[in-house]
Amino acid sequence: MVENAEQQPLRVVAVSGSLHTPSKTSALVHAILDRIAEQQPIEAHVIELSEVGPAFAGALTRDQVAPSVETELRRIEDADLLIVASPVYRGSFTGLFKHLFDFVGQYSLVDKPVLVAATGGGERHALILEHQFRPLFGFFQALTLPIGVYASNTDFTEYTLTSESVRQRIDLAVLRGLPFVRNRVRDADKVSDYVGAW
């Protein structure tokens, strides 16, 4: 029997591509997670590249990553919803962020909902969402949600998100995206139940 998708906890995995702690990017990720949790039960897990990066930075293939990184890769592949975020670094996401996703299975994210987010020094850096994130996850055949979230340095007080306009953007991204994510989980459960009946 399929549970009500609004009550069934969503497995939400967030990846913060920042190389520093504390981080405005991580603060943005947590603000998004908090808003989702207000609307839907979730099992949230945050992957901080500032913490796990040394365990895979020198790896060339997936079988060379540390066991702890393999666990994180499986979490990414098994998530109901991915939140991916990076500071803008030389016009793109950080190299370590890209390196992590180089190890993700090519077909492991097919049709997976992905909410894209980024932080940067000014408003023009917001283009990273359309010109870097969406093509990357298009390669994986993932489904990036319609509304991405970008925040500039001025939207934070130290490492706390204080911009009302960014919070409104988060609200819009979550309220527009969650019904789609719930439907994806519901459909996947129905297929699983159908297959299991044979």
Side-chain angles (χ1 to χ4, degrees):
M1 183 66 119
V2 179
E3 295 182 51
N4 186 320
E6 295 189 13
Q7 299 303 318
Q8 181 181 356
L10 293 177
R11 294 167 299 175
V12 182
V13 175
V15 180
S16 173
S18 177
L19 307 183
H20 305 285
T21 302
S23 157
K24 294 181 177 71
T25 303
S26 295
L28 179 61
V29 161
H30 283 284
I32 295 169
L33 283 171
D34 289 345
R35 188 67 181 98
I36 295 172
E38 291 173 5
Q39 300 294 318
Q40 164 80 42
I42 62 172
E43 296 172 359
H45 180 73
V46 180
I47 300 171
E48 299 277 1
L49 292 197
S50 59
E51 297 175 2
V52 303
F56 71 86
L60 299 179
T61 59
R62 183 159 173 168
D63 61 1
Q64 294 176 347
V65 306
S68 60
V69 176
E70 176 61 30
T71 298
E72 303 291 37
L73 291 169
R74 291 186 182 275
R75 284 191 174 114
I76 289 171
E77 294 169 346
D78 293 339
D80 295 317
L81 169 64
L82 281 181
I83 300 169
V84 295
S86 175
V88 178
Y89 185 74
R90 301 195 177 183
S92 186
F93 30 67
T94 58
L96 206 56
F97 176 92
K98 175 58 166 59
H99 193 43
L100 178 68
F101 279 91
D102 285 342
F103 297 128
V104 171
Q106 181 174 349
Y107 302 107
S108 298
L109 305 185
V110 172
D111 292 341
K112 189 179 299 295
V114 180
L115 194 160
V116 297
T119 57
E123 293 301 323
R124 288 178 293 181
H125 287 147
L127 292 172
I128 186 178
L129 299 178
E130 305 303 322
H131 295 286
Q132 301 292 330
F133 276 108
R134 293 194 192 278
L136 173 62
F137 290 96
F139 164 80
F140 284 109
Q141 301 176 55
L143 299 174
T144 54
L145 297 179
I147 307 295
V149 181
Y150 175 82
S152 297
N153 288 342
T154 55
D155 294 321
F156 298 85
T157 299
E158 294 185 351
Y159 294 98
T160 300
L161 180 65
T162 52
S163 167
E164 184 58 31
S165 63
V166 174
R167 290 196 176 277
Q168 290 174 357
R169 182 76 173 179
I170 291 172
D171 288 349
L172 185 61
V174 170
L175 293 176
R176 288 273 303 277
L178 265 184
F180 173 79
V181 178
R182 289 171 183 148
N183 287 338
R184 289 288 308 145
V185 172
R186 185 182 299 115
D187 290 347
D189 285 345
K190 286 180 179 177
V191 170
S192 178
D193 287 349
Y194 178 78
V195 171
W198 284 88

